[in-house]
PDB file of all heavy atoms in Angstrom:
ATOM      1  N   PHE A   1      85.245  94.446  92.536  1.00 87.00           N
ATOM      2  CA  PHE A   1      85.120  95.056  93.835  1.00 87.00           C
ATOM      3  C   PHE A   1      83.833  95.735  94.076  1.00 87.00           C
ATOM      4  O   PHE A   1      83.176  95.731  95.102  1.00 87.00           O
ATOM      5  CB  PHE A   1      86.301  95.954  94.067  1.00 87.00           C
ATOM      6  CG  PHE A   1      87.444  95.288  94.734  1.00 87.00           C
ATOM      7  CD1 PHE A   1      88.361  94.655  93.887  1.00 87.00           C
ATOM      8  CD2 PHE A   1      87.643  95.279  96.101  1.00 87.00           C
ATOM      9  CE1 PHE A   1      89.474  94.002  94.460  1.00 87.00           C
ATOM     10  CE2 PHE A   1      88.754  94.627  96.615  1.00 87.00           C
ATOM     11  CZ  PHE A   1      89.668  94.010  95.808  1.00 87.00           C
ATOM     12  N   LEU A   2      83.351  96.505  92.961  1.00 88.00           N
ATOM     13  CA  LEU A   2      82.012  97.201  93.102  1.00 88.00           C
ATOM     14  C   LEU A   2      80.886  96.190  93.318  1.00 88.00           C
ATOM     15  O   LEU A   2      80.004  96.421  94.120  1.00 88.00           O
ATOM     16  CB  LEU A   2      81.752  98.007  91.848  1.00 88.00           C
ATOM     17  CG  LEU A   2      82.589  99.279  91.749  1.00 88.00           C
ATOM     18  CD1 LEU A   2      82.380  99.952  90.405  1.00 88.00           C
ATOM     19  CD2 LEU A   2      82.252 100.277  92.899  1.00 88.00           C
ATOM     20  N   ARG A   3      80.917  95.023  92.583  1.00 88.00           N
ATOM     21  CA  ARG A   3      79.868  94.004  92.821  1.00 88.00           C
ATOM     22  C   ARG A   3      79.975  93.477  94.234  1.00 88.00           C
ATOM     23  O   ARG A   3      78.938  93.178  94.867  1.00 88.00           O
ATOM     24  CB  ARG A   3      79.976  92.906  91.755  1.00 88.00           C
ATOM     25  CG  ARG A   3      78.975  91.824  91.868  1.00 88.00           C
ATOM     26  CD  ARG A   3      78.898  90.978  90.640  1.00 88.00           C
ATOM     27  NE  ARG A   3      78.457  91.736  89.518  1.00 88.00           N
ATOM     28  CZ  ARG A   3      78.204  91.252  88.288  1.00 88.00           C
ATOM     29  NH1 ARG A   3      78.377  89.874  88.087  1.00 88.00           N
ATOM     30  NH2 ARG A   3      77.744  91.972  87.296  1.00 88.00           N
ATOM     31  N   PHE A   4      81.213  93.164  94.668  1.00 87.00           N
ATOM     32  CA  PHE A   4      81.374  92.642  96.034  1.00 87.00           C
ATOM     33  C   PHE A   4      80.879  93.668  97.029  1.00 87.00           C
ATOM     34  O   PHE A   4      80.265  93.319  98.028  1.00 87.00           O
ATOM     35  CB  PHE A   4      82.850  92.284  96.264  1.00 87.00           C
ATOM     36  CG  PHE A   4      83.089  91.821  97.613  1.00 87.00           C
ATOM     37  CD1 PHE A   4      82.802  90.478  97.939  1.00 87.00           C
ATOM     38  CD2 PHE A   4      83.601  92.649  98.663  1.00 87.00           C
ATOM     39  CE1 PHE A   4      83.118  89.948  99.210  1.00 87.00           C
ATOM     40  CE2 PHE A   4      83.800  92.143  99.898  1.00 87.00           C
ATOM     41  CZ  PHE A   4      83.541  90.812 100.172  1.00 87.00           C
ATOM     42  N   ASP A   5      81.121  94.986  96.871  1.00 87.00           N
ATOM     43  CA  ASP A   5      80.662  95.991  97.810  1.00 87.00           C
ATOM     44  C   ASP A   5      79.169  96.014  97.773  1.00 87.00           C
ATOM     45  O   ASP A   5      78.573  96.232  98.919  1.00 87.00           O
ATOM     46  CB  ASP A   5      81.260  97.314  97.377  1.00 87.00           C
ATOM     47  CG  ASP A   5      82.682  97.419  97.663  1.00 87.00           C
ATOM     48  OD1 ASP A   5      83.274  96.632  98.448  1.00 87.00           O
ATOM     49  OD2 ASP A   5      83.425  98.329  97.029  1.00 87.00           O
ATOM     50  N   ARG A   6      78.508  95.925  96.658  1.00 87.00           N
ATOM     51  CA  ARG A   6      77.072  95.842  96.681  1.00 87.00           C
ATOM     52  C   ARG A   6      76.503  94.666  97.456  1.00 87.00           C
ATOM     53  O   ARG A   6      75.480  94.810  98.114  1.00 87.00           O
ATOM     54  CB  ARG A   6      76.519  95.920  95.272  1.00 87.00           C
ATOM     55  CG  ARG A   6      76.663  97.289  94.577  1.00 87.00           C
ATOM     56  CD  ARG A   6      75.792  97.359  93.360  1.00 87.00           C
ATOM     57  NE  ARG A   6      76.194  96.392  92.302  1.00 87.00           N
ATOM     58  CZ  ARG A   6      77.008  96.690  91.313  1.00 87.00           C
ATOM     59  NH1 ARG A   6      77.534  97.934  91.241  1.00 87.00           N
ATOM     60  NH2 ARG A   6      77.348  95.743  90.431  1.00 87.00           N
ATOM     61  N   LEU A   7      77.176  93.556  97.326  1.00 86.00           N
ATOM     62  CA  LEU A   7      76.640  92.334  97.980  1.00 86.00           C
ATOM     63  C   LEU A   7      76.926  92.400  99.442  1.00 86.00           C
ATOM     64  O   LEU A   7      76.140  91.921 100.306  1.00 86.00           O
ATOM     65  CB  LEU A   7      77.219  91.109  97.314  1.00 86.00           C
ATOM     66  CG  LEU A   7      76.838  90.817  95.879  1.00 86.00           C
ATOM     67  CD1 LEU A   7      77.580  89.600  95.390  1.00 86.00           C
ATOM     68  CD2 LEU A   7      75.276  90.618  95.774  1.00 86.00           C
ATOM     69  N   ALA A   8      78.137  92.832  99.872  1.00 84.00           N
ATOM     70  CA  ALA A   8      78.556  92.723 101.274  1.00 84.00           C
ATOM     71  C   ALA A   8      78.335  94.098 102.037  1.00 84.00           C
ATOM     72  O   ALA A   8      78.574  94.048 103.236  1.00 84.00           O
ATOM     73  CB  ALA A   8      80.052  92.360 101.274  1.00 84.00           C
ATOM     74  N   GLY A   9      77.967  95.149 101.274  1.00 81.00           N
ATOM     75  CA  GLY A   9      77.779  96.483 102.035  1.00 81.00           C
ATOM     76  C   GLY A   9      79.127  97.055 102.482  1.00 81.00           C
ATOM     77  O   GLY A   9      79.106  97.785 103.378  1.00 81.00           O
ATOM     78  N   THR A  10      80.227  96.755 101.721  1.00 81.00           N
ATOM     79  CA  THR A  10      81.493  97.391 102.124  1.00 81.00           C
ATOM     80  C   THR A  10      81.864  98.470 101.107  1.00 81.00           C
ATOM     81  O   THR A  10      81.053  98.814 100.183  1.00 81.00           O
ATOM     82  CB  THR A  10      82.591  96.299 102.080  1.00 81.00           C
ATOM     83  OG1 THR A  10      82.593  95.614 100.840  1.00 81.00           O
ATOM     84  CG2 THR A  10      82.254  95.255 103.152  1.00 81.00           C
ATOM     85  N   ALA A  11      83.049  99.002 101.237  1.00 79.00           N
ATOM     86  CA  ALA A  11      83.559 100.066 100.370  1.00 79.00           C
ATOM     87  C   ALA A  11      84.947  99.836  99.977  1.00 79.00           C
ATOM     88  O   ALA A  11      85.887 100.686 100.181  1.00 79.00           O
ATOM     89  CB  ALA A  11      83.358 101.426 101.003  1.00 79.00           C
ATOM     90  N   LEU A  12      85.249  98.649  99.493  1.00 81.00           N
ATOM     91  CA  LEU A  12      86.664  98.210  99.205  1.00 81.00           C
ATOM     92  C   LEU A  12      87.127  98.782  97.844  1.00 81.00           C
ATOM     93  O   LEU A  12      88.325  98.862  97.615  1.00 81.00           O
ATOM     94  CB  LEU A  12      86.810  96.689  99.185  1.00 81.00           C
ATOM     95  CG  LEU A  12      86.492  96.078 100.575  1.00 81.00           C
ATOM     96  CD1 LEU A  12      86.597  94.536 100.406  1.00 81.00           C
ATOM     97  CD2 LEU A  12      87.508  96.580 101.589  1.00 81.00           C
ATOM     98  N   ALA A  13      86.216  99.092  96.952  1.00 78.00           N
ATOM     99  CA  ALA A  13      86.598  99.481  95.588  1.00 78.00           C
ATOM    100  C   ALA A  13      87.386 100.725  95.606  1.00 78.00           C
ATOM    101  O   ALA A  13      88.264 100.880  94.723  1.00 78.00           O
ATOM    102  CB  ALA A  13      85.320  99.604  94.751  1.00 78.00           C
ATOM    103  N   GLY A  14      87.174 101.649  96.513  1.00 76.00           N
ATOM    104  CA  GLY A  14      87.871 102.917  96.470  1.00 76.00           C
ATOM    105  C   GLY A  14      88.970 102.943  97.444  1.00 76.00           C
ATOM    106  O   GLY A  14      89.511 103.972  97.743  1.00 76.00           O
ATOM    107  N   GLY A  15      89.395 101.819  98.037  1.00 81.00           N
ATOM    108  CA  GLY A  15      90.430 101.789  99.033  1.00 81.00           C
ATOM    109  C   GLY A  15      91.747 101.156  98.622  1.00 81.00           C
ATOM    110  O   GLY A  15      91.965 100.894  97.433  1.00 81.00           O
ATOM    111  N   MET A  16      92.593 100.964  99.561  1.00 85.00           N
ATOM    112  CA  MET A  16      93.922 100.353  99.333  1.00 85.00           C
ATOM    113  C   MET A  16      93.897  98.936  98.914  1.00 85.00           C
ATOM    114  O   MET A  16      94.707  98.459  98.213  1.00 85.00           O
ATOM    115  CB  MET A  16      94.750 100.575 100.599  1.00 85.00           C
ATOM    116  CG  MET A  16      96.188 100.280 100.439  1.00 85.00           C
ATOM    117  SD  MET A  16      97.159 100.726 101.918  1.00 85.00           S
ATOM    118  CE  MET A  16      98.770 100.202 101.436  1.00 85.00           C
ATOM    119  N   ALA A  17      92.882  98.163  99.399  1.00 84.00           N
ATOM    120  CA  ALA A  17      92.791  96.741  99.065  1.00 84.00           C
ATOM    121  C   ALA A  17      92.695  96.505  97.563  1.00 84.00           C
ATOM    122  O   ALA A  17      93.354  95.608  97.028  1.00 84.00           O
ATOM    123  CB  ALA A  17      91.585  96.112  99.718  1.00 84.00           C
ATOM    124  N   ALA A  18      91.962  97.373  96.864  1.00 86.00           N
ATOM    125  CA  ALA A  18      91.789  97.238  95.407  1.00 86.00           C
ATOM    126  C   ALA A  18      93.132  97.434  94.703  1.00 86.00           C
ATOM    127  O   ALA A  18      93.461  96.744  93.713  1.00 86.00           O
ATOM    128  CB  ALA A  18      90.712  98.115  94.835  1.00 86.00           C
ATOM    129  N   LEU A  19      93.862  98.448  95.149  1.00 88.00           N
ATOM    130  CA  LEU A  19      95.136  98.744  94.493  1.00 88.00           C
ATOM    131  C   LEU A  19      96.219  97.625  94.720  1.00 88.00           C
ATOM    132  O   LEU A  19      96.879  97.263  93.823  1.00 88.00           O
ATOM    133  CB  LEU A  19      95.649 100.106  95.026  1.00 88.00           C
ATOM    134  CG  LEU A  19      94.990 101.343  94.445  1.00 88.00           C
ATOM    135  CD1 LEU A  19      95.511 102.587  95.164  1.00 88.00           C
ATOM    136  CD2 LEU A  19      95.274 101.440  92.947  1.00 88.00           C
ATOM    137  N   VAL A  20      96.219  97.181  95.952  1.00 89.00           N
ATOM    138  CA  VAL A  20      97.183  96.090  96.281  1.00 89.00           C
ATOM    139  C   VAL A  20      96.776  94.816  95.497  1.00 89.00           C
ATOM    140  O   VAL A  20      97.651  94.102  94.984  1.00 89.00           O
ATOM    141  CB  VAL A  20      97.216  95.792  97.792  1.00 89.00           C
ATOM    142  CG1 VAL A  20      98.083  94.567  98.083  1.00 89.00           C
ATOM    143  CG2 VAL A  20      97.709  97.023  98.554  1.00 89.00           C
ATOM    144  N   MET A  21      95.523  94.545  95.367  1.00 88.00           N
ATOM    145  CA  MET A  21      95.088  93.431  94.529  1.00 88.00           C
ATOM    146  C   MET A  21      95.506  93.586  93.060  1.00 88.00           C
ATOM    147  O   MET A  21      95.935  92.630  92.452  1.00 88.00           O
ATOM    148  CB  MET A  21      93.512  93.249  94.699  1.00 88.00           C
ATOM    149  CG  MET A  21      93.028  92.074  93.851  1.00 88.00           C
ATOM    150  SD  MET A  21      93.642  90.472  94.422  1.00 88.00           S
ATOM    151  CE  MET A  21      92.696  90.393  96.022  1.00 88.00           C
ATOM    152  N   ALA A  22      95.324  94.792  92.589  1.00 89.00           N
ATOM    153  CA  ALA A  22      95.813  95.038  91.207  1.00 89.00           C
ATOM    154  C   ALA A  22      97.242  94.883  91.043  1.00 89.00           C
ATOM    155  O   ALA A  22      97.737  94.280  90.031  1.00 89.00           O
ATOM    156  CB  ALA A  22      95.358  96.492  90.801  1.00 89.00           C
ATOM    157  N   TYR A  23      98.000  95.344  91.925  1.00 91.00           N
ATOM    158  CA  TYR A  23      99.460  95.120  91.964  1.00 91.00           C
ATOM    159  C   TYR A  23      99.827  93.607  91.959  1.00 91.00           C
ATOM    160  O   TYR A  23     100.693  93.090  91.208  1.00 91.00           O
ATOM    161  CB  TYR A  23     100.241  95.763  93.082  1.00 91.00           C
ATOM    162  CG  TYR A  23     100.277  97.292  93.032  1.00 91.00           C
ATOM    163  CD1 TYR A  23     100.349  98.015  94.163  1.00 91.00           C
ATOM    164  CD2 TYR A  23     100.286  97.917  91.805  1.00 91.00           C
ATOM    165  CE1 TYR A  23     100.452  99.377  94.111  1.00 91.00           C
ATOM    166  CE2 TYR A  23     100.334  99.312  91.731  1.00 91.00           C
ATOM    167  CZ  TYR A  23     100.402 100.003  92.893  1.00 91.00           C
ATOM    168  OH  TYR A  23     100.497 101.401  92.809  1.00 91.00           O
ATOM    169  N   LEU A  24      99.113  92.871  92.826  1.00 91.00           N
ATOM    170  CA  LEU A  24      99.406  91.401  92.918  1.00 91.00           C
ATOM    171  C   LEU A  24      99.085  90.720  91.613  1.00 91.00           C
ATOM    172  O   LEU A  24      99.898  89.886  91.172  1.00 91.00           O
ATOM    173  CB  LEU A  24      98.585  90.836  94.089  1.00 91.00           C
ATOM    174  CG  LEU A  24      98.637  89.379  94.298  1.00 91.00           C
ATOM    175  CD1 LEU A  24     100.030  88.927  94.658  1.00 91.00           C
ATOM    176  CD2 LEU A  24      97.698  88.891  95.380  1.00 91.00           C
ATOM    177  N   ILE A  25      97.956  91.016  91.070  1.00 90.00           N
ATOM    178  CA  ILE A  25      97.567  90.369  89.708  1.00 90.00           C
ATOM    179  C   ILE A  25      98.521  90.745  88.595  1.00 90.00           C
ATOM    180  O   ILE A  25      98.917  89.956  87.829  1.00 90.00           O
ATOM    181  CB  ILE A  25      96.122  90.660  89.434  1.00 90.00           C
ATOM    182  CG1 ILE A  25      95.220  90.039  90.483  1.00 90.00           C
ATOM    183  CG2 ILE A  25      95.719  90.079  88.075  1.00 90.00           C
ATOM    184  CD1 ILE A  25      93.744  90.441  90.322  1.00 90.00           C
ATOM    185  N   ARG A  26      98.875  92.010  88.625  1.00 91.00           N
ATOM    186  CA  ARG A  26      99.706  92.548  87.523  1.00 91.00           C
ATOM    187  C   ARG A  26     101.112  92.050  87.514  1.00 91.00           C
ATOM    188  O   ARG A  26     101.715  91.731  86.511  1.00 91.00           O
ATOM    189  CB  ARG A  26      99.656  94.070  87.599  1.00 91.00           C
ATOM    190  CG  ARG A  26     100.466  94.786  86.537  1.00 91.00           C
ATOM    191  CD  ARG A  26      99.877  94.631  85.177  1.00 91.00           C
ATOM    192  NE  ARG A  26     100.507  95.494  84.197  1.00 91.00           N
ATOM    193  CZ  ARG A  26     100.330  95.449  82.886  1.00 91.00           C
ATOM    194  NH1 ARG A  26      99.535  94.555  82.414  1.00 91.00           N
ATOM    195  NH2 ARG A  26     100.941  96.277  82.109  1.00 91.00           N
ATOM    196  N   PHE A  27     101.710  91.985  88.701  1.00 92.00           N
ATOM    197  CA  PHE A  27     103.135  91.836  88.817  1.00 92.00           C
ATOM    198  C   PHE A  27     103.628  90.495  89.488  1.00 92.00           C
ATOM    199  O   PHE A  27     104.693  90.292  89.875  1.00 92.00           O
ATOM    200  CB  PHE A  27     103.844  92.953  89.606  1.00 92.00           C
ATOM    201  CG  PHE A  27     103.703  94.316  88.958  1.00 92.00           C
ATOM    202  CD1 PHE A  27     102.807  95.261  89.483  1.00 92.00           C
ATOM    203  CD2 PHE A  27     104.370  94.587  87.795  1.00 92.00           C
ATOM    204  CE1 PHE A  27     102.648  96.458  88.874  1.00 92.00           C
ATOM    205  CE2 PHE A  27     104.203  95.837  87.185  1.00 92.00           C
ATOM    206  CZ  PHE A  27     103.351  96.747  87.728  1.00 92.00           C
ATOM    207  N   LEU A  28     102.574  89.521  89.605  1.00 91.00           N
ATOM    208  CA  LEU A  28     102.961  88.206  90.148  1.00 91.00           C
ATOM    209  C   LEU A  28     103.911  87.538  89.257  1.00 91.00           C
ATOM    210  O   LEU A  28     104.866  86.897  89.763  1.00 91.00           O
ATOM    211  CB  LEU A  28     101.616  87.422  90.283  1.00 91.00           C
ATOM    212  CG  LEU A  28     101.805  86.028  90.813  1.00 91.00           C
ATOM    213  CD1 LEU A  28     102.333  86.121  92.262  1.00 91.00           C
ATOM    214  CD2 LEU A  28     100.511  85.208  90.847  1.00 91.00           C
ATOM    215  N   ARG A  29     103.843  87.730  87.917  1.00 89.00           N
ATOM    216  CA  ARG A  29     104.819  87.009  87.086  1.00 89.00           C
ATOM    217  C   ARG A  29     106.189  87.605  87.326  1.00 89.00           C
ATOM    218  O   ARG A  29     107.226  86.819  87.265  1.00 89.00           O
ATOM    219  CB  ARG A  29     104.383  87.284  85.606  1.00 89.00           C
ATOM    220  CG  ARG A  29     105.434  87.021  84.572  1.00 89.00           C
ATOM    221  CD  ARG A  29     105.839  85.643  84.512  1.00 89.00           C
ATOM    222  NE  ARG A  29     104.781  84.748  84.119  1.00 89.00           N
ATOM    223  CZ  ARG A  29     104.873  83.434  83.978  1.00 89.00           C
ATOM    224  NH1 ARG A  29     106.001  82.861  84.211  1.00 89.00           N
ATOM    225  NH2 ARG A  29     103.828  82.722  83.599  1.00 89.00           N
ATOM    226  N   VAL A  30     106.312  88.915  87.568  1.00 90.00           N
ATOM    227  CA  VAL A  30     107.615  89.572  87.752  1.00 90.00           C
ATOM    228  C   VAL A  30     108.286  88.987  89.002  1.00 90.00           C
ATOM    229  O   VAL A  30     109.506  88.918  89.019  1.00 90.00           O
ATOM    230  CB  VAL A  30     107.410  91.115  87.938  1.00 90.00           C
ATOM    231  CG1 VAL A  30     108.792  91.750  88.070  1.00 90.00           C
ATOM    232  CG2 VAL A  30     106.756  91.606  86.608  1.00 90.00           C
ATOM    233  N   ALA A  31     107.575  88.645  90.091  1.00 90.00           N
ATOM    234  CA  ALA A  31     108.124  88.077  91.281  1.00 90.00           C
ATOM    235  C   ALA A  31     108.365  86.534  91.089  1.00 90.00           C
ATOM    236  O   ALA A  31     109.451  86.031  91.576  1.00 90.00           O
ATOM    237  CB  ALA A  31     107.164  88.309  92.430  1.00 90.00           C
ATOM    238  N   TRP A  32     107.424  85.829  90.442  1.00 89.00           N
ATOM    239  CA  TRP A  32     107.592  84.418  90.281  1.00 89.00           C
ATOM    240  C   TRP A  32     108.777  84.062  89.406  1.00 89.00           C
ATOM    241  O   TRP A  32     109.435  83.097  89.630  1.00 89.00           O
ATOM    242  CB  TRP A  32     106.285  83.798  89.797  1.00 89.00           C
ATOM    243  CG  TRP A  32     106.250  82.343  89.639  1.00 89.00           C
ATOM    244  CD1 TRP A  32     107.046  81.459  90.424  1.00 89.00           C
ATOM    245  CD2 TRP A  32     105.529  81.561  88.760  1.00 89.00           C
ATOM    246  NE1 TRP A  32     106.773  80.198  89.987  1.00 89.00           N
ATOM    247  CE2 TRP A  32     105.806  80.188  88.975  1.00 89.00           C
ATOM    248  CE3 TRP A  32     104.551  81.926  87.767  1.00 89.00           C
ATOM    249  CZ2 TRP A  32     105.210  79.149  88.251  1.00 89.00           C
ATOM    250  CZ3 TRP A  32     103.982  80.862  87.023  1.00 89.00           C
ATOM    251  CH2 TRP A  32     104.272  79.496  87.316  1.00 89.00           C
TER     252      TRP A  32
END
């Protein structure tokens, strides 16, 4: 997210999107 923020000029690394993405990657197996 930090690399994406540097390229796109955004601030997603410190927001809710990064946490939701972490939950999705971490617990996808638990739902599937």
Side-chain angles (χ1 to χ4, degrees):
F1 270 84
L2 286 173
R3 178 165 296 185
F4 179 81
D5 288 341
R6 284 197 295 267
L7 294 176
T10 57
L12 298 176
M16 189 173 177
L19 283 173
V20 174
M21 179 66 70
Y23 287 154
L24 177 61
I25 297 174
R26 177 69 169 171
F27 297 109
L28 182 61
R29 163 67 63 181
V30 181
W32 183 27

